[in-house]
Amino acid sequence: MSELHERPPGMRLFDPRPFVLEMRRAVMAAQSDIELGRFIRANGIDIHFTEAGAGEPLILLENGMISTNPIWAGWMSSYLGHIETLAKHFRVIVPDFRGSGRTVHPGGPISYNLLADDMVALIDALHLDRPLVCGYGDGGHVATIIGIRKPASVRAVVNHGGYDLLNPDPRTPGLVMTRQMLGGAPDAAHADPDVMANSEHTFLRAMAELMQADHDAAQGPDHWKQVLTWSFDRFSQPCGYTVDDLHAITVPTLILVGDRDPFCSIEEGASAYHTLPDGELSVLPNTAVGISPAAVQATIQFFQRRLEAEG
């Protein structure tokens, strides 16, 4: 974060300011018409999702606490601004994770295993034949855990900037920073939504505004705070899997990362790539965080190449 005055050693920074103006315009338009998707029953909940395009199915997993609400379309870590491009090549299916957007969660912490199980159940409920799966950040972790737990359910995986929590050390700079940003202290054990909403850092305040406009409109006042509370453990601690678990992913998998990503290092990405039985590594130059057109093109090219190889 460009405005952070104190950070753990080794934490590289990025500048969120180019994205903030777009976000504020989106919040101002939050009351405009929202494209409604549909619901399907899977893993005991009604999962809301939208879809576009035709062809091979692609499950697209958004970063944590982001939904299919169009107000996210200008946000740097959302796929929504890139759906049209992806839909030219694939049948794109974008679900709201439980608790976020229009997908209701009955309560309790929302773990990666639970989200992965939701997505596998969604695949079954939609009768998809081994879809492609791609995720950014939090979604990248979920995509990878699907590959670890249920490799036969998917055809190929893209993990874009979602492997930092494979490091089992809870003191890594990214986790320390996350606890500081979302809980108010480097060793915070619980979320503090007021810390996020009132942060001195523009990026966090912007994220809180978008979450409030999205989640509260969908599920009631202050629901955005509940989403953050349910998700905090998932964001702030190692995910329970390590790089060694990547041996279980038998399908083609792309590790995608920016060369300036402050959470997912190139070195850890290379380690993940070397561990994968059928992996590729793509490093985006002069890139910190966010889903850029170059990242989307790298994703499309990977999937097309692997589909062609299948014949």
Side-chain angles (χ1 to χ4, degrees):
M1 314 287 173
S2 61
E3 299 175 356
L4 292 178
H5 303 300
E6 297 182 4
R7 65 187 188 276
M11 173 59 70
R12 292 170 291 174
L13 302 182
F14 66 95
D15 186 353
R17 288 172 294 182
F19 305 96
V20 172
L21 181 58
E22 292 183 38
M23 182 284 310
R24 295 195 184 281
R25 288 171 179 160
V27 170
M28 291 175 65
Q31 300 305 316
S32 64
D33 291 339
I34 293 175
E35 297 177 14
L36 298 180
R38 61 190 180 99
F39 293 86
I40 194 163
R41 190 73 175 175
N43 204 28
I45 61 173
D46 294 319
I47 297 178
H48 177 263
F49 68 99
T50 61
E51 59 181 306
E56 290 288 339
L58 166 60
I59 305 292
L60 202 58
L61 303 180
E62 292 280 18
N63 197 15
M65 303 183 293
I66 291 175
S67 82
T68 55
N69 188 319
I71 65 173
W72 292 102
W75 188 245
M76 62 180 177
S77 57
S78 171
Y79 282 110
L80 291 189
H82 304 282
I83 297 297
E84 183 176 350
T85 299
L86 289 161
K88 292 176 181 178
H89 305 277
F90 311 106
R91 175 191 172 191
V92 181
I93 299 164
V94 191
D96 292 347
F97 283 154
R98 62 167 63 219
S100 293
R102 297 175 181 274
T103 301
V104 174
H105 173 55
I110 302 174
S111 69
Y112 280 115
N113 283 343
L114 182 56
L115 291 177
D117 288 347
D118 287 346
M119 296 303 102
V120 171
L122 176 69
I123 291 169
D124 290 342
L126 291 174
H127 305 293
L128 303 178
D129 180 18
R130 298 178 62 230
L132 309 166
V133 181
C134 173
Y136 175 78
D138 206 40
H141 281 291
V142 175
T144 299
I145 291 169
I146 293 171
I148 291 171
R149 291 164 63 94
K150 297 287 185 178
S153 67
V154 296
R155 180 163 276 113
V157 173
V158 170
N159 178 330
H160 181 183
Y163 52 81
D164 49 320
L165 301 186
L166 295 173
N167 188 329
D169 184 358
R171 300 164 298 176
T172 58
L175 286 176
V176 172
M177 183 69 75
T178 297
R179 292 191 290 269
Q180 178 72 54
M181 292 189 300
L182 303 182
D187 59 351
H190 305 284
D192 188 338
D194 290 336
V195 167
M196 186 176 182
N198 300 313
S199 174
E200 62 181 300
H201 311 303
T202 308
F203 175 81
L204 289 181
R205 294 198 310 275
M207 181 78 176
E209 287 181 36
L210 267 181
M211 287 176 60
Q212 183 173 6
D214 177 9
H215 303 315
D216 290 12
Q219 299 195 41
D222 286 338
H223 183 70
W224 79 272
K225 296 181 179 180
Q226 189 65 73
V227 175
L228 178 59
T229 299
W230 286 333
S231 305
F232 182 78
D233 287 350
R234 185 172 84 246
F235 298 146
S236 63
Q237 297 294 331
C239 69
Y241 297 88
T242 69
V243 169
D244 287 342
D245 291 307
L246 300 181
H247 286 294
I249 304 179
T250 55
V251 298
T253 300
L254 172 66
I255 301 295
L256 181 61
V257 66
D259 61 353
R260 289 160 172 75
D261 192 308
F263 297 97
C264 289
S265 71
I266 296 175
E267 293 76 15
E268 288 180 323
S271 178
Y273 153 69
H274 285 300
T275 305
L276 289 162
D278 188 4
E280 295 186 21
L281 173 65
S282 181
V283 179
L284 302 168
N286 195 32
T287 301
V289 299
I291 303 167
S292 64
V296 172
Q297 288 303 315
T299 297
I300 292 170
Q301 291 166 11
F302 168 75
F303 283 141
Q304 289 180 330
R305 185 168 59 251
R306 291 314 190 108
L307 288 170
E308 290 172 3
E310 280 191 359

